[in-house]
Amino acid sequence: MREFRYERAPDVAGAVALLAGAPEGAFLGGGTNLVDLMKLGVATPDVLVDVRELVSREITELPDGGLRIGAGVPNADLAADRRVRERFPVLAQALLAGASGQLRNRATTGGNLLQRTRCGYFTDVTKPCNKRSPGSGCGALEGVHRNHAILGQTIAGSAGPATCVATHPSDMAVAMVALDAVVRVLGPDGERSLPLAGLHRLPGDDPSRDTTLRHGELITAIDLPALGMPSRYRKVRDRASFAFALVSIAAALRVEDGVVRDVRLALGGVAHRPWRATAAEYVLRGLPATEASFAAAAESELEEATPLRDNGFKVPMARNLVVRTLLDLSEALR
Amino acid sequence: MDTQITLRVDGAAQPLTVDTRTTLLDALRERLRNTSPKKGCDHGQCGACTVLLDGRRVNSCLVLAVTVGDAEVTTSDGLAEGGRPHALHRSFVEHDAFQCGYCTPGQVCSAAGVLAEARAGWPSAVTADLAAGDVELSDAEIRERMSGNLCRCAAYANIVPAVAAVAESSGVRR
């Protein structure tokens, strides 16, 4: 591990100022991902600014019935919060589907959003990876990629400088994208807010950048607007617990007189970012809440899928997951 | 880069000078000679290093020692009071819940966390009704909640009754 200076600040503004003066520095939240990446030599900050005790650990009410979640709230506390369990079950289920009890106790809400891909070529410094070492190529494209992306990847050959087929690993973020969450950020230039759907990037021509945050910007809170409809998270993985998603889904559905009035869908494990299924949502609104409609919606979303040699199974898996989850939600509404 | 810290471990304050890169696990084992938490994977995947930090279970291999501050660190050693084994220690012995025992201190600390979390009404991925305040710590719940602790000796089967027995004797709903 590279040597680093450990810094604390009196408040979040001080922490932001400290990092602004450290171009190779990083914020430290729970450290469950960052410390691991530092041990592997994948992350090499020279300064760590510890913000775990600085950012809010409170969950507060918003005027519309939504919630503001401080970026320092541990994943375990967020999943256990009664308001989250009652109003946003999709979020509690997503959190509980992720990691282990030990990790959820330490990991923070802000840090969860910024965790990095678990692609084996990214975490192995002896392998090529455009995300870790821009321009070095992509080992996954023609290598082991059963867990990799089927939507929104950049594929220009394994030596292509922009090729990246990695997936975003967070379950929590998939639920939050479906919930139209808003991220509140403090940076060297002050505060700003952005939709969570605009936080994570597709690889495009620079896979090394996971997010649209600038250096020194700190996530301080996440706002969840009121939802007002039933919601559910479902995750398919290789073992029953403590494994990343092959495919996951966050869904919310409102049906009136047998017709879909509102729907929110996001997929995990399929792309470089949590994948909001806007095409499927568009198709579904106004259609009868039937299996045929749900299948048509899923097909429209997955038309653009470009699976790799060994992960084609994710396409029918995602389609079946959309259909099954929406059927369950519509049956629960009856 | 060296830094002065004081760790509070199993009830005793321990002043230390550590490199900032030192994990809590390495500070405990290599500097304080507390070999209760074990180094398994060293990447948060196996749970052998589990300790309680202010009563909450965490992977000590992913916690930097400089970040611990005043928090109370409790290892499986520290769960024993006055030389008397904790109920979980005794139950693991009674139910033969280990073979080589390497992962056991982490399992015991994790089980202590599981019991506290169940008492607080925290749900898990297998909890059917998230809106319910109470949790019934069924065998399925224990399995799910202990899933962050891996044992390669295949002794899993006896860990569940060992934890269940302590849950029952300490008034956790089953």
Short mmCIF file of all heavy atoms in Angstrom, two decimals, chain A residues 7-22 25-28 47-55 186-188 215-218 220:
data_model
loop_
_atom_site.label_atom_id
_atom_site.label_comp_id
_atom_site.label_asym_id
_atom_site.label_seq_id
_atom_site.Cartn_x
_atom_site.Cartn_y
_atom_site.Cartn_z
N GLU A 7 -5.84 12.63 7.46
CA GLU A 7 -6.28 13.96 7.90
C GLU A 7 -7.73 13.93 8.38
O GLU A 7 -8.56 13.21 7.82
CB GLU A 7 -6.20 14.96 6.73
CG GLU A 7 -4.81 15.17 6.18
CD GLU A 7 -4.04 16.26 6.94
OE1 GLU A 7 -4.52 16.70 8.01
OE2 GLU A 7 -2.96 16.63 6.46
N ARG A 8 -7.97 14.72 9.42
CA ARG A 8 -9.36 14.99 9.82
C ARG A 8 -9.57 16.49 9.74
O ARG A 8 -8.63 17.26 9.85
CB ARG A 8 -9.62 14.53 11.24
CG ARG A 8 -9.67 13.03 11.36
CD ARG A 8 -10.12 12.64 12.74
NE ARG A 8 -9.86 11.22 12.96
CZ ARG A 8 -10.41 10.54 13.95
NH1 ARG A 8 -11.22 11.12 14.80
NH2 ARG A 8 -10.12 9.26 14.09
N ALA A 9 -10.82 16.89 9.56
CA ALA A 9 -11.15 18.31 9.50
C ALA A 9 -12.24 18.58 10.53
O ALA A 9 -12.94 17.66 10.96
CB ALA A 9 -11.64 18.67 8.10
N PRO A 10 -12.39 19.87 10.94
CA PRO A 10 -13.44 20.17 11.93
C PRO A 10 -14.85 20.04 11.37
O PRO A 10 -15.79 19.80 12.11
CB PRO A 10 -13.13 21.61 12.35
CG PRO A 10 -12.28 22.18 11.27
CD PRO A 10 -11.55 21.03 10.64
N ASP A 11 -15.00 20.23 10.06
CA ASP A 11 -16.34 20.17 9.47
C ASP A 11 -16.21 19.78 7.99
O ASP A 11 -15.11 19.66 7.46
CB ASP A 11 -17.07 21.51 9.62
CG ASP A 11 -16.23 22.68 9.13
OD1 ASP A 11 -15.42 22.48 8.20
OD2 ASP A 11 -16.36 23.78 9.69
N VAL A 12 -17.36 19.61 7.33
CA VAL A 12 -17.34 19.16 5.93
C VAL A 12 -16.66 20.18 5.01
O VAL A 12 -15.94 19.81 4.08
CB VAL A 12 -18.75 18.80 5.38
CG1 VAL A 12 -19.20 17.46 5.93
CG2 VAL A 12 -19.74 19.88 5.67
N ALA A 13 -16.87 21.47 5.30
CA ALA A 13 -16.24 22.49 4.45
C ALA A 13 -14.71 22.39 4.57
O ALA A 13 -13.99 22.51 3.57
CB ALA A 13 -16.72 23.88 4.86
N GLY A 14 -14.25 22.14 5.78
CA GLY A 14 -12.81 21.98 6.00
C GLY A 14 -12.28 20.75 5.27
O GLY A 14 -11.17 20.76 4.71
N ALA A 15 -13.08 19.68 5.27
CA ALA A 15 -12.67 18.45 4.58
C ALA A 15 -12.57 18.68 3.07
O ALA A 15 -11.62 18.22 2.42
CB ALA A 15 -13.66 17.32 4.88
N VAL A 16 -13.54 19.40 2.53
CA VAL A 16 -13.53 19.71 1.10
C VAL A 16 -12.31 20.56 0.76
O VAL A 16 -11.63 20.32 -0.25
CB VAL A 16 -14.85 20.41 0.69
CG1 VAL A 16 -14.75 21.03 -0.70
CG2 VAL A 16 -16.00 19.42 0.76
N ALA A 17 -12.01 21.54 1.62
CA ALA A 17 -10.84 22.40 1.38
C ALA A 17 -9.55 21.58 1.43
O ALA A 17 -8.64 21.78 0.61
CB ALA A 17 -10.80 23.53 2.40
N LEU A 18 -9.47 20.65 2.38
CA LEU A 18 -8.28 19.80 2.49
C LEU A 18 -8.07 18.99 1.21
O LEU A 18 -6.95 18.90 0.69
CB LEU A 18 -8.43 18.83 3.66
CG LEU A 18 -7.88 19.23 5.02
CD1 LEU A 18 -8.27 18.18 6.06
CD2 LEU A 18 -6.37 19.38 4.96
N LEU A 19 -9.15 18.41 0.70
CA LEU A 19 -8.99 17.56 -0.48
C LEU A 19 -8.71 18.39 -1.73
O LEU A 19 -7.99 17.94 -2.63
CB LEU A 19 -10.22 16.66 -0.69
CG LEU A 19 -9.90 15.47 -1.60
CD1 LEU A 19 -8.90 14.54 -0.94
CD2 LEU A 19 -11.14 14.71 -1.99
N ALA A 20 -9.26 19.61 -1.76
CA ALA A 20 -9.01 20.48 -2.91
C ALA A 20 -7.51 20.74 -3.05
O ALA A 20 -7.00 20.90 -4.15
CB ALA A 20 -9.78 21.79 -2.76
N GLY A 21 -6.80 20.74 -1.91
CA GLY A 21 -5.36 20.97 -1.94
C GLY A 21 -4.55 19.69 -2.11
O GLY A 21 -3.32 19.73 -2.02
N ALA A 22 -5.22 18.58 -2.33
CA ALA A 22 -4.53 17.28 -2.46
C ALA A 22 -5.02 16.57 -3.71
O ALA A 22 -5.94 15.75 -3.67
CB ALA A 22 -4.78 16.41 -1.23
N GLY A 25 -5.41 12.96 -3.40
CA GLY A 25 -6.04 12.53 -2.17
C GLY A 25 -7.43 11.96 -2.42
O GLY A 25 -7.96 12.01 -3.53
N ALA A 26 -8.01 11.40 -1.36
CA ALA A 26 -9.35 10.82 -1.45
C ALA A 26 -10.07 11.00 -0.13
O ALA A 26 -9.44 11.06 0.94
CB ALA A 26 -9.28 9.34 -1.80
N PHE A 27 -11.40 11.10 -0.18
CA PHE A 27 -12.21 11.05 1.03
C PHE A 27 -12.29 9.61 1.51
O PHE A 27 -12.36 8.68 0.70
CB PHE A 27 -13.63 11.55 0.76
CG PHE A 27 -13.72 13.02 0.49
CD1 PHE A 27 -14.28 13.49 -0.69
CD2 PHE A 27 -13.27 13.95 1.42
CE1 PHE A 27 -14.39 14.84 -0.96
CE2 PHE A 27 -13.38 15.32 1.18
CZ PHE A 27 -13.93 15.76 -0.02
N LEU A 28 -12.31 9.42 2.82
CA LEU A 28 -12.51 8.10 3.41
C LEU A 28 -13.84 8.09 4.16
O LEU A 28 -14.05 8.88 5.08
CB LEU A 28 -11.37 7.77 4.40
CG LEU A 28 -11.50 6.44 5.14
CD1 LEU A 28 -11.34 5.26 4.21
CD2 LEU A 28 -10.48 6.35 6.28
N VAL A 47 -3.17 11.16 0.35
CA VAL A 47 -3.80 11.77 1.52
C VAL A 47 -5.20 11.16 1.66
O VAL A 47 -5.91 11.01 0.67
CB VAL A 47 -3.95 13.31 1.35
CG1 VAL A 47 -4.69 13.91 2.53
CG2 VAL A 47 -2.59 13.97 1.16
N LEU A 48 -5.57 10.78 2.88
CA LEU A 48 -6.95 10.35 3.14
C LEU A 48 -7.59 11.37 4.07
O LEU A 48 -7.06 11.64 5.15
CB LEU A 48 -6.99 8.98 3.81
CG LEU A 48 -6.85 7.74 2.96
CD1 LEU A 48 -7.16 6.49 3.80
CD2 LEU A 48 -7.75 7.77 1.74
N VAL A 49 -8.69 11.94 3.64
CA VAL A 49 -9.44 12.88 4.48
C VAL A 49 -10.65 12.12 5.02
O VAL A 49 -11.56 11.77 4.27
CB VAL A 49 -9.87 14.12 3.67
CG1 VAL A 49 -10.66 15.08 4.56
CG2 VAL A 49 -8.66 14.81 3.06
N ASP A 50 -10.64 11.86 6.31
CA ASP A 50 -11.68 11.03 6.93
C ASP A 50 -12.94 11.85 7.15
O ASP A 50 -12.94 12.81 7.91
CB ASP A 50 -11.15 10.50 8.28
CG ASP A 50 -12.05 9.43 8.88
OD1 ASP A 50 -13.20 9.29 8.43
OD2 ASP A 50 -11.59 8.74 9.81
N VAL A 51 -14.00 11.49 6.46
CA VAL A 51 -15.26 12.24 6.58
C VAL A 51 -16.34 11.43 7.28
O VAL A 51 -17.48 11.90 7.41
CB VAL A 51 -15.77 12.69 5.19
CG1 VAL A 51 -14.82 13.71 4.58
CG2 VAL A 51 -15.97 11.52 4.25
N ARG A 52 -16.00 10.24 7.75
CA ARG A 52 -17.04 9.35 8.29
C ARG A 52 -17.78 9.98 9.46
O ARG A 52 -18.99 9.83 9.60
CB ARG A 52 -16.40 8.03 8.70
CG ARG A 52 -17.41 6.96 9.03
CD ARG A 52 -16.76 5.60 9.10
NE ARG A 52 -17.71 4.63 9.60
CZ ARG A 52 -17.95 4.45 10.87
NH1 ARG A 52 -17.32 5.17 11.77
NH2 ARG A 52 -18.84 3.57 11.26
N GLU A 53 -17.04 10.68 10.33
CA GLU A 53 -17.68 11.29 11.50
C GLU A 53 -18.21 12.69 11.18
O GLU A 53 -18.85 13.31 12.03
CB GLU A 53 -16.67 11.39 12.65
CG GLU A 53 -16.04 10.07 13.05
CD GLU A 53 -16.97 9.22 13.89
OE1 GLU A 53 -17.85 9.78 14.57
OE2 GLU A 53 -16.83 7.98 13.84
N LEU A 54 -17.91 13.20 10.00
CA LEU A 54 -18.29 14.59 9.67
C LEU A 54 -19.63 14.68 8.98
O LEU A 54 -20.43 15.57 9.26
CB LEU A 54 -17.23 15.23 8.75
CG LEU A 54 -15.85 15.50 9.34
CD1 LEU A 54 -14.99 16.20 8.30
CD2 LEU A 54 -15.95 16.36 10.60
N VAL A 55 -19.86 13.78 8.01
CA VAL A 55 -21.10 13.88 7.25
C VAL A 55 -22.26 13.38 8.12
O VAL A 55 -22.07 12.55 9.01
CB VAL A 55 -21.04 13.09 5.92
CG1 VAL A 55 -20.19 13.83 4.90
CG2 VAL A 55 -20.50 11.69 6.13
N LEU A 186 -21.26 18.85 -1.82
CA LEU A 186 -20.52 20.06 -1.45
C LEU A 186 -19.14 19.97 -2.09
O LEU A 186 -18.44 18.96 -1.94
CB LEU A 186 -20.38 20.16 0.07
CG LEU A 186 -19.62 21.39 0.59
CD1 LEU A 186 -20.40 22.67 0.32
CD2 LEU A 186 -19.32 21.24 2.08
N GLY A 187 -18.78 21.02 -2.82
CA GLY A 187 -17.47 21.01 -3.48
C GLY A 187 -16.74 22.31 -3.24
O GLY A 187 -17.25 23.20 -2.54
N PRO A 188 -15.55 22.45 -3.81
CA PRO A 188 -14.77 23.69 -3.64
C PRO A 188 -15.55 24.93 -4.11
O PRO A 188 -15.31 26.03 -3.62
CB PRO A 188 -13.54 23.44 -4.52
CG PRO A 188 -13.43 21.96 -4.64
CD PRO A 188 -14.83 21.43 -4.59
N HIS A 215 -13.13 16.42 -8.71
CA HIS A 215 -12.24 16.16 -7.58
C HIS A 215 -12.57 17.13 -6.43
O HIS A 215 -12.69 18.34 -6.65
CB HIS A 215 -10.78 16.32 -7.98
CG HIS A 215 -9.85 16.07 -6.82
ND1 HIS A 215 -9.59 14.79 -6.36
CD2 HIS A 215 -9.15 16.91 -6.01
CE1 HIS A 215 -8.76 14.86 -5.32
NE2 HIS A 215 -8.48 16.14 -5.09
N GLY A 216 -12.71 16.59 -5.26
CA GLY A 216 -12.97 17.44 -4.09
C GLY A 216 -14.44 17.58 -3.76
O GLY A 216 -14.79 18.13 -2.73
N GLU A 217 -15.32 17.08 -4.65
CA GLU A 217 -16.75 17.14 -4.34
C GLU A 217 -17.13 15.99 -3.42
O GLU A 217 -16.77 14.83 -3.67
CB GLU A 217 -17.58 17.10 -5.62
CG GLU A 217 -17.55 18.43 -6.37
CD GLU A 217 -18.59 18.51 -7.47
OE1 GLU A 217 -18.76 17.51 -8.22
OE2 GLU A 217 -19.23 19.56 -7.60
N LEU A 218 -17.88 16.33 -2.37
CA LEU A 218 -18.26 15.37 -1.33
C LEU A 218 -19.77 15.20 -1.34
O LEU A 218 -20.51 16.19 -1.29
CB LEU A 218 -17.79 15.91 0.03
CG LEU A 218 -18.21 15.12 1.27
CD1 LEU A 218 -17.49 13.77 1.33
CD2 LEU A 218 -17.91 15.93 2.53
N THR A 220 -23.00 14.82 0.47
CA THR A 220 -23.39 15.12 1.85
C THR A 220 -24.73 14.47 2.23
O THR A 220 -24.95 14.17 3.40
CB THR A 220 -23.50 16.63 2.08
OG1 THR A 220 -24.43 17.17 1.13
CG2 THR A 220 -22.14 17.31 1.94
#
